[in-house]
Amino acid sequence: MNLEKEIEKRRTFAIISHPDAGKTTLTEKFLLFGGAIKTAGAVKQNKIRKSATSDFMEIEKQRGISVATSVMGFEYAGRKVNILDTPGHKDFAEDTYRTLTAVDSVILVVDSVKGVEEQTERLMEVCRMRNTPVIIFVNKMDREGRNPFELIDELEEKLEIGVRPLTWPIGQGQNFQGVYNLYRKQLNLFEPDQTRISEHFIEIRGTEDPELDRWIPSAFCDQLREDVELIEGVYEPFSARHYLEGSLAPVFFGSAVNNFGVREMLETFIEIAPPPHEREAAERVVNAAETPLTGFVFKIHANLDPNHRDRTAFFKVCSGKFERNRFYHHTRLGKKMRFANPTQFMANEKNLIEDAWPGDVIGLYDNGNLKIGDTLTEGEELQFRGIPSFSPEIFKEVINRDPFKAKQLEKGLRQLTEEGVAQLFLQHGNRKIVGTVGELQFDVIRFRLEHEYGASSDFTPLRYFKAFWITGKDRAQYDEFLRRKSPVIAEDKEGHPVFFAESEWMLNVAKENYPGVTFHETSEFKTEGSGS
Ligand code: G4P
């Protein structure tokens, strides 16, 4: 009974955006509403600044600070809201993809001036893979942005999802008057102010209500009436079911920095966003309401203090109740583990906890037993799915500069890739190829290999475009492909064959010549026929 109540209370989600669209600002406003922080600025300080790309030490320092804020919990309107922070920096995109596998829904922030940007599209692809419900917040309405109709058309087209505006802007930029809430039939008047928390709502009986003219200049009233008529005519009424299935995204307009339109969205979020439900494991689907504990690790964070080699594993509870000091079954290692100091994060603080429930993310102190994707249970042999590796975009061969430190290099590379800093591929048994989504990771790896493992390394760039996990529908063709392409075939950490395509053109040629081979963009594919 208790378990069901705790599940119903929880909303676990991530805010995602292209850098600079306003993710950090929005997160901060949520925390202010939730009382988790008292003043603006607290989250901002933890942000990995874009300007710091060349200053890697600065990033490491900030990365350290951001451990505590990687998950932020607060109570709002009787709900326990867990926000999973995702790094805005594009070089840490892989980290973001993985975090998305641990949330039940997502809020996507779009800049009203820039519209849908590249990174937004890619993040949305990951959401689509799992049918994650998405709410869209069009931010910076206080700027001269794009026409809102044009914007929602672009959202629909580029994000490949149906959209339904729930609020609608009245003017924008200098002339931004506020928004009309189509759902609640409420007017929310805009007054630029970065410090306030309350908003000025006026109830009206639809856009025909003459009360509207009392508050808004007549030219804007006419435009709003026209717009609303068009919206109601073109769009189906909002369907919570379609939202929960991940096929329809409600859209809100506002200005995060001015704290405008944020509470409106938060209240709708609380009402419609899903609580933790079920999760697919390789063996079966696990329901959140099952009593035995299950959960998985989706992120590992190394401690920055070189004197302590410990790491924090971020563990998402999927079912049952997690209890401190209780023994759990680590399914990959087949061993019992117990955690004396599990922590939960509240804004800037890290607190020891006694228990946790489905939807919660806790930090487990680890000295090398846990890897991304590991599952803990009360004894059942389970392996949660849905934490795939995505194809890296930059590939380099690792060169050992100190033959006496080969072991250290090996160990360092293994541990860093277990943390998810990069992916490691092995070719012909010993050639090591590291793949990442950003250049920055190579600085991180080189630095950490040297400082934490005493290994000295260099990286030689390789001209690959992407890595594809391959399986075969036709055994003979698959074997021939592996043989012929052996210079560009390697194995991932699980021993699965991976093909490095030099260009998109080369990939297409390979696909044409070998129709019996399937090329997968992520490591998670259902095993198919003879190939794997
Ligand atoms: P991110 O996490 O998505 O990268 O974005 P972040 O919140 O850091 O916001 C990026 C910039 O956009 C910040 O300005 C922020 O103040 C500004 N911003 C956020 N919301 C709004 C909005 O509604 N209207 C306008 N006009 N600006 C907004 P900055 O100059 O980079 O930082 P700061 O010095 O202002 O903190």
Side-chain angles (χ1 to χ4, degrees), residues 12 49 64 142 185 214 253 278 281 286 381 394 406 457 490 519:
T12 302
R49 277 184 283 277
D142 58 321
K185 306 219 182 312
R214 271 193 51 208
F253 291 83
E278 49 188 41
V286 177
E381 296 305 334
I394 303 175
S457 57
F519 300 81

Side-chain angles (χ1 to χ4, degrees), residues 17 20-25 44 47 139-140 142 255-257:
S17 74
D20 253 350
K23 179 176 76 71
T24 314
T25 313
K44 200 97 196 162
K47 189 172 157 172
N139 191 27
K140 306 198 185 179
D142 58 321
S255 169
V257 78

Side-chain angles (χ1 to χ4, degrees), residues 108-133:
L108 180 74
V109 187
V110 175
D111 183 328
S112 73
V113 185
K114 298 191 174 137
V116 176
E117 296 169 87
E118 189 197 337
Q119 207 167 321
T120 324
E121 282 183 70
R122 303 197 46 195
L123 292 167
M124 189 62 206
E125 269 171 40
V126 181
C127 293
R128 268 202 311 273
M129 281 170 64
R130 302 182 55 238
N131 301 323
T132 309

Side-chain angles (χ1 to χ4, degrees), residues 181-192:
N181 191 320
L182 297 136
Y183 190 55
R184 299 207 161 101
K185 306 219 182 312
Q186 226 176 25
L187 204 55
N188 185 4
L189 295 180
F190 177 65
E191 297 144 34

Side-chain angles (χ1 to χ4, degrees), residues 280-299:
E280 207 180 317
E283 297 75 7
R284 66 183 185 91
V285 172
V286 177
N287 193 300
E290 291 177 25
T291 327
L293 171 101
T294 66
F296 66 93
V297 173
F298 66 93
K299 177 171 170 152

Side-chain angles (χ1 to χ4, degrees), residues 270-390:
I270 292 289
E271 208 179 303
I272 65 173
H277 36 100
E278 49 188 41
R279 183 158 195 109
E280 207 180 317
E283 297 75 7
R284 66 183 185 91
V285 172
V286 177
N287 193 300
E290 291 177 25
T291 327
L293 171 101
T294 66
F296 66 93
V297 173
F298 66 93
K299 177 171 170 152
I300 302 247
H301 211 118
N303 199 315
L304 291 169
D305 182 349
N307 300 320
H308 299 275
R309 277 290 179 74
D310 56 326
R311 314 191 279 185
T312 300
F314 288 77
F315 179 78
K316 160 100 189 258
V317 180
C318 292
S319 72
K321 178 184 178 187
F322 176 93
E323 288 173 70
R324 182 165 92 93
N325 274 330
R326 217 179 133 175
F327 276 103
Y328 291 115
H329 176 59
H330 183 310
T331 60
R332 180 177 56 87
L333 298 179
K335 96 185 205 188
K336 283 201 179 318
M337 286 183 82
R338 145 179 107 113
F339 302 90
N341 301 304
T343 47
Q344 206 159 36
F345 312 93
M346 290 291 266
N348 286 346
E349 288 165 26
K350 205 162 132 181
N351 302 311
L352 190 74
I353 50 134
E354 292 300 326
D355 49 41
W357 302 92
D360 285 343
V361 170
I362 53 177
L364 300 179
Y365 174 88
D366 170 50
N367 44 22
N369 286 311
L370 295 170
K371 279 209 307 199
I372 288 171
D374 278 352
T375 301
L376 297 181
T377 68
E378 290 189 17
E380 186 178 350
E381 296 305 334
L382 269 183
Q383 181 60 48
F384 280 108
R385 294 178 58 90
I387 311 122
S389 300
F390 295 85

